[in-house]
Amino acid sequence: MAISKDLVDKIVSEILQSLPESRVEHDLALVVAGVSNRHVHLSRKDGDRLFGSGHELTPIKDLRQPGQFACKETVTLGTSGGVLESVRVLGPYRKATQVEISASDARRLRIKAPLVKSGADLPCDPVTLIGPAGSITVEGGVGIAWRHLHLTPLRAAELSLKDGQEVSVEVPGDRGIVFNRVWVRVSDSMEVEFHVDVDEANSCGLSTGDMVRVLGS
């Protein structure tokens, strides 16, 4: 029988609550980091145009967030000023195509990319996605992802945080840093994880799987 994430979180919480108070507070504030490289989410329609009608995405690695996976498929991003090759597609198909890049990528493409939250469709400079079966050009849905913190409802309650709130997150180590204005996303379909892009991670030596600490708003 499958065990729900909330039940697992509850069991962990009960164990932590049996520890000394300082240890409890410290452990509850620790979350795992995930470093996000440039990638593309595709709609079914755009997937067909890029890879052929009826094409199904090929999973090669499950991601921490439930149901999401890295795909074998890649695309090339092209603008009038630059090109990025072998940009990974993440599955499954979504309602709308979305391209997530870093500020460094935007400079290589010579475009101005807006800072966006998930699902945002702000206007942007034209970007062409090129696949083996065709290409599409988009003028929205391209951006630099706002750093964010995924929380289950239980963990959010334990940390006294709400969906849409902004908090600070501390990265320890020799190049330690505090990231401010981290967007909190609460959902029972998510796993606890702190997301930043490659530029932000490189600034402080952060790698996927490292632990960071939520400081609060």
Side-chain angles (χ1 to χ4, degrees):
M1 182 178 69
I3 301 176
S4 70
K5 295 192 297 298
D6 278 356
L7 179 57
V8 171
D9 275 355
K10 183 177 180 181
I11 294 171
V12 172
S13 178
E14 290 174 352
I15 293 173
L16 291 175
Q17 287 173 11
S18 68
L19 300 173
E21 184 176 352
S22 61
R23 176 73 178 278
V24 172
E25 293 177 353
H26 178 71
D27 284 351
L28 286 177
L30 287 177
V31 299
V32 67
V35 179
S36 181
N37 201 353
R38 66 183 76 102
H39 61 272
V40 174
H41 301 283
L42 293 174
S43 67
R44 170 87 257 186
K45 177 181 177 181
D46 289 343
D48 286 347
R49 293 175 65 180
L50 294 172
F51 298 103
S53 180
H55 180 83
E56 296 298 333
L57 297 174
T58 309
I60 56 172
K61 180 182 179 182
D62 288 334
L63 303 180
R64 181 173 175 82
Q65 296 307 311
Q68 299 185 28
F69 51 89
C71 303
K72 178 181 178 181
E73 289 79 7
T74 63
V75 298
T76 296
L77 302 183
T79 68
S80 59
V83 173
L84 287 175
E85 297 180 331
S86 302
V87 178
R88 186 69 56 191
V89 174
L90 300 187
Y93 284 120
R94 292 191 174 186
K95 292 181 180 180
T97 292
Q98 186 174 344
V99 179
E100 295 186 23
I101 58 176
S102 68
S104 295
D105 293 332
R107 284 193 289 271
R108 286 180 59 183
L109 292 172
R110 297 184 181 178
I111 63 172
K112 293 181 179 179
L115 183 63
V116 297
K117 294 184 177 180
S118 180
D121 190 21
L122 299 177
C124 65
D125 296 330
V127 176
T128 299
L129 285 65
I130 305 167
S135 65
I136 59 172
T137 297
V138 297
E139 297 186 21
V142 178
I144 301 167
W146 198 294
R147 49 183 174 255
H148 55 278
L149 175 64
H150 290 290
L151 293 175
T152 62
L154 180 59
R155 182 63 72 86
E158 290 170 334
L159 294 171
S160 300
L161 298 176
K162 296 181 179 180
D163 186 62
Q165 207 172 333
E166 291 184 358
V167 296
S168 296
V169 172
E170 179 183 25
V171 178
D174 293 337
R175 300 182 66 192
I177 194 173
V178 173
F179 286 111
N180 295 318
R181 301 203 64 190
V182 177
W183 175 39
V184 176
R185 301 182 63 190
V186 180
S187 172
D188 57 9
S189 65
M190 296 177 178
E191 290 285 356
V192 176
E193 189 175 24
F194 171 59
H195 275 184
V196 291
D197 67 25
V198 171
D199 283 357
E200 293 174 310
N202 287 343
S203 73
C204 57
L206 184 67
S207 299
T208 293
D210 289 348
M211 303 301 292
V212 298
R213 189 170 186 227
V214 180
L215 299 179
S217 57

